[in-house]
Amino acid sequence: MNTFKLDINTPEKRYLSVQAQMLKINLPDGEYVLLAGHEPVTAALDFGLLQYRNAEGELHEVLCADGFVEMRPDGVAVFTRECMDADVLDRAQEKEETEKMIARQKYEQSRITHHSNTIFLARTMERRRKKRYR
């Protein structure tokens, strides 16, 4: 069976680097399977389980936060905010960890949104002020 290099990276470190036969990922619009020789593609990665079959044919699962995946001729690179080995988690722990990852993501998004809204409001008020005093 053909294999490809699979790298999973977080901001802190390279989490995993293996030869894989298959990679199954969650995208915002559903699941997606990548095999060796797949066309180059870059896509957003959604929260959930990432499954891969290593060169020996063993299936492994990794719980991943959001990020993106890039299929290149030399392999697949997954870039995610955080991840952990789901093989050692039971389903209750998996659900709890997923919820924690989603909560952290929502918190970060709320901070970014708040900052963006503050800037937008300041610019809007400045434009109104300039119009008023022309």
Side-chain angles (χ1 to χ4, degrees), residues 5-105:
K5 184 176 180 188
L6 170 61
D7 290 321
I8 301 176
N9 303 290
T10 67
E12 292 83 31
K13 65 179 181 175
R14 173 171 284 156
Y15 179 77
L16 178 75
S17 184
V18 297
Q19 285 297 119
Q21 297 176 5
M22 176 274 304
L23 174 64
K24 184 176 177 182
I25 55 175
N26 287 317
L27 302 181
D29 59 346
E31 293 182 340
Y32 203 75
V33 176
L34 298 172
L35 300 171
H38 194 284
E39 283 188 35
V41 65
T42 301
L45 182 66
D46 206 3
F47 289 92
L49 281 179
L50 176 147
Q51 296 177 325
Y52 69 93
R53 191 169 301 278
N54 66 12
E56 292 77 35
E58 300 165 335
L59 187 65
H60 296 276
E61 295 181 328
V62 176
L63 184 61
C64 287
D66 64 332
F68 68 95
V69 61
E70 181 180 27
M71 180 72 178
R72 303 180 303 234
D74 62 334
V76 176
V78 175
F79 300 94
T80 180
R81 187 181 308 267
E82 59 184 311
C83 61
M84 66 178 51
D85 187 4
D87 291 337
V88 298
L89 299 175
D90 64 22
R91 293 298 169 206
Q93 289 174 312
E94 181 182 313
K95 183 178 180 186
E96 182 181 328
E97 290 299 326
T98 301
E99 288 171 356
K100 285 180 186 176
M101 286 181 184
I102 291 171
R104 282 191 290 272
Q105 171 66 19

Side-chain angles (χ1 to χ4, degrees), residues 117-132:
N117 289 344
T118 303
I119 292 170
F120 175 76
L121 181 60
R123 287 179 181 164
T124 302
M125 296 304 288
E126 182 65 22
R127 280 192 294 255
R128 285 184 180 171
R129 188 184 64 74
K130 285 181 180 179
K131 280 184 180 178
R132 205 177 294 155

